[in-house]
Amino acid sequence: MSEHNSIEAVAAAEALRKKDDKKTSIIFLSIALALFLACVGFLVWNIVRMRRVETDYVKVMGKVVDVEAMGSSSSGYASGPSYFLVISYTFDGQEYKFIDREGYKGHDEAYDCVGKYAEILVDPQNPDHAERAISTGFISNFCACFFAFFCIMYAAGMNIFLASKGSSFIKRFLFIWGAEILLGVSVLLLLWTGMPNSGFGEVFARNSGAIGIAIVCGLPLLAVLVDGVITLKLRPYRSKHRVYRISKRRKRR
């Protein structure tokens, strides 16, 4: 009778553990979904904006004429200022200036650009609005950050969920690592749609967050290799070793 009760207690504890794991996985996956939707929001915003700049703006040559320092120490910690290029350009015979949104942390790096020419994009309907071609995808940085945190939360939640259902390397590859790699590549390809007149390489030249997304895609690929080694090499060895020990005990009996 006591043995029967102990079996029931173990079964109840196991059921409770699976229930808790399910709740935990739902929490992680819900957060991952929210992060992914935020990523998609920034992605769509960036694509629409990039496409408008690519098709409606006019390319002209501008000259870096000055550097403006912005920002200083905050909360008692000296973080140092960032340096932004002041670029002058001429459109329809009139001269304009604008401050590039991409800042430099190094003083010398920024001032080395003074006197150099840079390709810029000008809004013909509003000529005093312009930006450097290389910085037109700054919103992609936000997209990359949200995508990275999405991958972390999704991997954690899905790992817990699969563990409760009986995890395997194939399942983890299809539903975790493979899914994250596929989504990352899809994001990069979607960014390309924002530049209809450019090659795929421009995705990385014009979208500063594209490199970050590519790195994030590389991490699941590395996880696949590590997971594969552990699953296909170490676990079968342990399993065979355990079977060998069990069979050895039976022979002794």
Side-chain angles (χ1 to χ4, degrees), residues 16-64:
L16 183 61
R17 184 189 65 80
K18 288 184 177 181
K19 188 176 181 180
D20 290 340
D21 287 347
K22 186 177 180 180
K23 288 181 179 179
T24 304
S25 67
I26 290 174
I27 292 172
F28 276 102
L29 292 174
S30 298
I31 296 174
L33 178 61
L35 291 169
F36 182 71
L37 292 176
C39 172
V40 170
F42 278 107
L43 177 65
V44 172
W45 181 16
N46 191 60
I47 289 173
V48 171
R49 182 177 176 278
M50 287 286 292
R51 197 170 184 87
R52 177 172 175 268
V53 169
E54 184 78 6
T55 56
D56 298 344
Y57 281 35
V58 178
K59 291 182 180 180
V60 301
M61 293 302 297
K63 185 178 181 180
V64 181

Side-chain angles (χ1 to χ4, degrees), residues 1-251:
M1 187 70 178
S2 59
E3 183 179 354
H4 179 71
N5 291 336
S6 63
I7 293 174
E8 287 185 346
V10 170
E14 181 66 17
L16 183 61
R17 184 189 65 80
K18 288 184 177 181
K19 188 176 181 180
D20 290 340
D21 287 347
K22 186 177 180 180
K23 288 181 179 179
T24 304
S25 67
I26 290 174
I27 292 172
F28 276 102
L29 292 174
S30 298
I31 296 174
L33 178 61
L35 291 169
F36 182 71
L37 292 176
C39 172
V40 170
F42 278 107
L43 177 65
V44 172
W45 181 16
N46 191 60
I47 289 173
V48 171
R49 182 177 176 278
M50 287 286 292
R51 197 170 184 87
R52 177 172 175 268
V53 169
E54 184 78 6
T55 56
D56 298 344
Y57 281 35
V58 178
K59 291 182 180 180
V60 301
M61 293 302 297
K63 185 178 181 180
V64 181
V65 295
D66 199 2
V67 173
E68 185 166 325
M70 297 183 184
S72 58
S73 60
S74 59
S75 303
Y77 296 95
S79 59
S82 294
Y83 301 91
F84 298 85
L85 305 181
V86 179
I87 302 177
S88 173
Y89 62 97
T90 302
F91 189 82
D92 284 345
Q94 188 171 347
E95 187 175 345
Y96 301 90
K97 288 182 181 180
F98 76 99
I99 299 176
D100 184 34
R101 62 169 58 89
E102 295 287 332
Y104 293 85
K105 280 297 181 182
H107 174 277
D108 295 339
E109 183 182 9
Y111 276 91
D112 284 344
C113 297
V114 175
K116 295 182 179 180
Y117 290 89
E119 186 180 75
I120 62 173
L121 298 164
V122 181
D123 184 357
Q125 304 300 323
N126 186 18
D128 61 348
H129 179 257
E131 53 190 59
R132 273 202 306 168
I134 197 171
S135 64
T136 53
F138 77 101
I139 302 173
S140 63
N141 286 324
F142 295 98
C143 179
C145 290
F146 279 107
F147 182 75
F149 284 110
F150 153 75
C151 286
I152 294 171
M153 301 304 293
Y154 177 78
M158 189 57 74
N159 261 310
I160 295 173
F161 177 78
L162 291 179
S164 65
K165 298 293 183 180
S167 182
S168 67
F169 175 73
I170 298 297
K171 288 181 180 179
R172 289 191 297 276
F173 174 75
L174 292 176
F175 297 106
I176 303 176
W177 318 125
E180 291 184 348
I181 295 171
L182 182 61
L183 286 172
V185 172
S186 299
V187 169
L188 293 176
L189 291 175
L190 286 173
L191 282 173
W192 190 18
T193 64
M195 299 177 293
N197 303 320
S198 305
F200 183 69
E202 288 292 303
V203 171
F204 300 94
R206 297 265 295 278
N207 290 271
S208 49
I211 297 176
I213 294 172
I215 293 174
V216 173
C217 286
L219 295 178
L221 184 60
L222 179 62
V224 169
L225 297 176
V226 174
D227 196 6
V229 170
I230 294 174
T231 303
L232 302 178
K233 297 295 182 182
L234 300 182
R235 288 182 182 174
Y237 170 78
R238 292 176 181 175
S239 178
K240 291 177 182 177
H241 189 60
R242 184 182 177 189
V243 170
Y244 170 76
R245 285 188 300 175
I246 293 173
S247 61
K248 194 173 182 180
R249 289 175 184 173
R250 288 177 177 175
K251 285 182 180 179

